[in-house]
Amino acid sequence: MSHGYATYGDDPEFTQEYEVPDVADPTRRDLDELFAAVDGLREADDRLVQDVADLSERLESGSAHGQQDRLDQLGRQLERLQQQVRVLERAVRVSDGVPQVNLDDVGPETRALAAEAARWDDLHKELVTKEQRARYAEEIAHLDAVRAALSRCDADLREVIGVLAATDRSSRARGDAESSLRALTTRRRTLLDEEIPAATSAADQARLALREADAVEARVVPQLERAERAWHDLQVRLRTRITDALGSNALLPTWFGHALGVAPPSGTSGDAWIRTAASVLAYRVTFGVTDQALPLGPPAGEGADTTERRWTWRARLESELDDLAL
């Protein structure tokens, strides 16, 4: 089996002057051995896949009791075999001179886009939320409410005073009016001395906070828009970089194969695949991940704040990768 390598020694007209040195023979033997190893692993992989399928069918039919552990073991063996196949296939392609592409080597302009896009979260945190703005509006509206309560209290007082002026001192209506007068007087004093001053102070602070929020928004929103444009441009660049690498049949990085395989799936899931691939590469570029085995680099260390953007983004990507594996 030559695998495309010419065997010049079989040509009777091939002279000693142009003979290939003996050092090439071990190389061809190594390649043949790699191809044979891959073929053997593929055959073992196929047999193991069939074993797993048969055992799963028996489990579903209820004809195999106590076989779940065996199924789990076969699943782990299958995963290891598939990993070995990928490693050997990569070694064969490298030995065969297939060019390798470094997706992480994006250049300074793309890294600048990633840095600009990464500002979005911190910028967005500077904005006052809709919920906080609503609370400020409630504080302002509360001042109007207590002022309206004072107006109603004054109107009730005028009515009570009119009753007192028009009734006899010994009548029951006058006694009720006197009780109302005392209550309304106390209520009016509470409004003037406590509730209105407190509501006025809170409303003034709310108005000031809203003015500051408007100023921050005027400053931050244009920067947010630039960060959003940078993210869009970054995604387009990285998506194009990945699709160009796929189209060139170059050897993709190990981390890429571990996370996403070697090609997008067929059908509608292909678009989700390429979006996730571009986002994983964006994560690596943004945080300077260079690990060639782990697509997202090492996990958060003990004591790390997992609410930080890096780790929340990582969690979303891990979920998306899990969905692609279903």
Side-chain angles (χ1 to χ4, degrees):
M1 177 167 56
S2 67
H3 297 291
Y5 293 93
T7 308
Y8 298 107
D10 295 338
D11 188 349
E13 297 180 4
F14 186 79
T15 63
Q16 183 67 27
E17 181 181 357
Y18 297 100
E19 282 184 358
V20 178
D22 291 341
V23 70
D25 292 336
T27 301
R28 287 199 295 271
R29 284 197 300 272
D30 289 343
L31 283 172
D32 288 341
E33 289 173 1
L34 280 172
F35 278 110
V38 170
D39 292 340
L41 282 173
R42 281 177 173 161
E43 292 175 2
D45 186 16
D46 292 340
R47 291 195 300 270
L48 194 54
V49 167
Q50 186 59 49
D51 290 343
V52 171
D54 293 343
L55 189 54
S56 298
E57 184 178 351
R58 289 203 301 264
L59 283 171
E60 291 175 359
S61 65
S63 60
H65 300 289
Q67 295 297 319
Q68 185 62 49
D69 291 341
R70 173 61 176 161
L71 181 59
D72 293 340
Q73 181 184 8
L74 286 174
R76 290 192 295 270
Q77 291 176 354
L78 176 59
E79 183 178 355
R80 285 195 295 271
L81 273 176
Q82 290 171 338
Q83 290 173 350
Q84 292 173 17
V85 168
R86 287 194 292 267
V87 169
L88 281 173
E89 286 180 333
R90 184 179 182 88
V92 169
R93 296 187 69 189
V94 170
S95 299
D96 208 18
V98 175
Q100 303 180 61
V101 60
N102 182 7
L103 293 177
D104 296 323
D105 186 16
V106 295
E109 187 173 344
T110 301
R111 293 192 182 280
L113 280 177
E116 180 67 31
R119 299 181 63 226
W120 192 94
D121 285 86
D122 289 336
L123 288 169
H124 192 265
K125 290 177 184 177
E126 296 185 40
L127 297 177
V128 174
T129 64
K130 292 181 179 179
E131 293 76 14
Q132 186 60 58
R133 282 182 174 272
R135 285 194 290 271
Y136 292 148
E138 289 175 1
E139 295 287 358
I140 296 171
H142 180 62
L143 176 58
D144 294 335
V146 294
R147 284 173 172 169
L150 178 62
S151 298
R152 289 193 301 273
C153 185
D154 288 344
D156 293 341
L157 275 171
R158 288 193 295 269
E159 183 178 346
V160 167
I161 291 172
V163 171
L164 290 173
T167 57
D168 186 79
R169 187 178 294 275
S170 61
S171 68
R172 180 175 180 179
R174 187 180 180 87
D176 293 341
E178 289 175 349
S179 298
S180 297
L181 179 63
R182 287 190 295 271
L184 288 169
T185 301
T186 301
R187 173 61 178 153
R188 189 174 191 276
R189 181 51 53 199
T190 300
L191 286 168
L192 288 172
D193 293 348
E194 299 177 16
E195 295 188 24
I196 289 179
T200 300
S201 176
D204 289 344
Q205 293 177 15
R207 291 191 186 96
L208 177 60
L210 285 175
R211 286 195 295 271
E212 292 175 348
D214 291 341
V216 169
E217 188 170 293
R219 173 179 58 83
V220 168
V221 166
Q223 299 180 64
L224 277 173
E225 291 172 348
R226 287 197 296 272
E228 289 173 355
R229 288 194 297 271
W231 173 252
H232 175 268
D233 293 345
L234 177 66
Q235 286 285 299
V236 170
R237 281 175 177 245
L238 298 182
R239 181 171 180 148
T240 301
R241 184 171 179 81
I242 293 169
T243 54
D244 287 349
L246 292 171
S248 69
N249 291 321
L251 192 60
L252 294 170
T254 302
W255 66 261
F256 191 95
H258 287 171
L260 296 143
V262 296
S266 59
T268 56
S269 58
D271 189 58
W273 184 90
I274 192 64
R275 283 200 309 270
T276 301
S279 294
V280 170
L281 183 53
Y283 179 94
R284 291 176 65 88
V285 172
T286 300
F287 298 111
V289 176
T290 57
D291 194 303
Q292 291 304 300
L294 301 175
L296 303 175
E302 185 177 355
D305 183 3
T306 55
T307 63
E308 290 181 355
R309 175 175 180 264
R310 173 169 187 164
W311 308 119
T312 56
W313 188 4
R314 179 192 177 99
R316 288 196 303 272
L317 289 175
E318 287 174 340
S319 176
E320 291 176 13
L321 290 171
D322 288 342
D323 290 341
L324 288 177
L326 295 179

